[in-house]
Amino acid sequence: MAAGQSPMSRICDGESVFQGAHGEVAWSGVRLTADVMADLADGPWAERVGDLESSAAVIEELRALATTEMAVETVGALLASEAEPLPWEVGEALAEVLLEHWHSVVWVWNNARDRRTRKASLPGADLVGLSVIEGAATLLFGEVKSSSDASAPPNVVYGRSGLIQQLERLTDKNADHWTLIKWLRARCSTQEHRELYKAAAARYVQSQGRDIRLVGCLIRDTSPNERDVSVRGVALARTVVEPMKALLTAWYLPVTMASWPAHVGLENSA
């Protein structure tokens, strides 16, 4: 790495191990190094998983409101009740960080804030954001799967709840687009995000709901294998047609999936 290179810039130092395309579907595989993993854990990955900045503000406020010994105990018990994030949550957060830094995706909100119970997966698409390439914004919808399955492709790619069928459903503008667009617009709290949203929504409307970007992410602790995404990527190309585009990304981590919560330092956090 270059002298003076910041930890944030090193996030993009992963090793590209394969890439390919079929029609409007592209795929790629990246092996993350131990150094990249350390930089992620020290910053954006842990922040995304735990929504640390927002949580810190709530904690500070609650502690300021605790003016009696019993109140202090109540706040302490509340903080101690925070559950350890599950590996799939940690993998989903990592996908968002990597897409932001590798593929110019803008997130207007952290999904961790919407969970009503810590161990429940939110309905709808895992990923809802904006793809911004050379200043042009496009609506982005996607799904994330984490897997230690040694098979290539892994089982999480197949079936009704598998990665590819979930993406195929998102190609249908009559499926979840309205709900996802409403969700995204309601969370554009800055002028910059609102302008990007308007530009992306205009492209969507003018293209009769076809100009969107789909992303499918596999987070793996196995050896890189292009078949993880290429086999089903070819099949997905049958339903992804211009101007719609899809990207399948596989990210290979040097630590086991079970240890991901510990790696970001959020295990049994309180």
Side-chain angles (χ1 to χ4, degrees):
M1 83 186 53
Q5 189 176 12
S6 70
M8 291 296 285
S9 65
R10 289 198 299 264
I11 291 174
C12 293
D13 280 352
E15 177 192 355
S16 178
V17 289
F18 60 76
Q19 57 183 349
H22 188 84
E24 299 303 318
V25 178
W27 56 81
S28 64
V30 175
R31 180 191 285 117
L32 300 182
T33 66
D35 286 343
V36 170
M37 292 290 291
D39 291 337
L40 285 164
D42 286 342
W45 190 7
E47 167 61 40
R48 194 78 188 174
V49 175
D51 193 21
L52 298 183
E53 184 177 352
S54 177
S55 296
V58 176
I59 292 170
E60 181 180 0
E61 183 179 75
L62 288 174
R63 284 176 171 162
L65 295 171
T67 57
T68 67
E69 183 176 346
M70 290 185 63
V72 170
E73 291 176 356
T74 298
V75 171
L78 181 64
L79 300 183
S81 70
E82 176 74 11
E84 176 182 328
L86 298 173
W88 67 260
E89 291 181 279
V90 181
E92 189 172 303
L94 178 60
E96 292 173 347
V97 171
L98 293 171
L99 287 171
E100 178 181 353
H101 289 276
W102 280 72
H103 295 287
S104 302
V105 176
V106 173
W107 308 112
V108 305
W109 189 253
N110 188 340
N111 281 340
R113 298 170 190 164
D114 286 341
R115 292 195 177 96
R116 297 296 183 268
T117 177
R118 189 65 180 147
K119 295 182 181 294
S121 178
L122 292 170
D126 294 332
L127 304 173
V128 184
L130 299 159
S131 172
V132 183
I133 306 296
E134 296 181 351
T138 308
L139 295 173
L140 178 142
F141 306 137
E143 300 289 344
V144 181
K145 299 293 182 184
S146 298
S147 177
S148 293
D149 183 3
S151 301
N155 288 333
V156 295
V157 170
Y158 294 99
R160 288 183 56 81
S161 61
L163 181 68
I164 298 303
Q165 284 202 25
Q166 288 180 328
L167 292 175
E168 287 175 345
R169 284 195 289 272
L170 287 170
T171 66
D172 182 359
K173 65 182 178 181
N174 296 317
D176 299 316
H177 290 192
W178 171 233
T179 300
L180 298 176
I181 289 171
K182 283 197 302 179
W183 182 95
L184 181 66
R185 174 62 184 86
R187 287 157 180 78
C188 291
S189 59
T190 69
Q191 185 64 30
E192 177 186 6
H193 288 162
R194 285 191 290 269
E195 291 303 320
L196 289 172
Y197 163 81
K198 288 178 182 178
R203 294 180 65 154
Y204 178 90
V205 172
Q206 292 164 9
S207 66
Q208 297 181 310
R210 302 303 300 171
D211 196 349
I212 62 173
R213 186 169 177 82
L214 301 179
V215 176
C217 292
L218 273 177
I219 312 297
R220 305 277 269 144
D221 60 1
T222 59
S223 298
N225 190 325
E226 187 168 2
R227 287 179 57 83
D228 282 340
V229 285
S230 64
V231 173
R232 300 307 298 161
V234 171
L236 181 62
R238 292 196 293 266
T239 53
V240 175
V241 295
E242 193 177 8
M244 187 181 299
K245 296 185 182 300
L247 171 67
L248 301 178
T249 64
W251 306 89
Y252 299 92
L253 280 57
V255 294
T256 63
M257 181 174 168
S259 70
W260 293 350
H263 189 79
V264 293
L266 293 175
E267 76 283 13
N268 298 317
S269 58

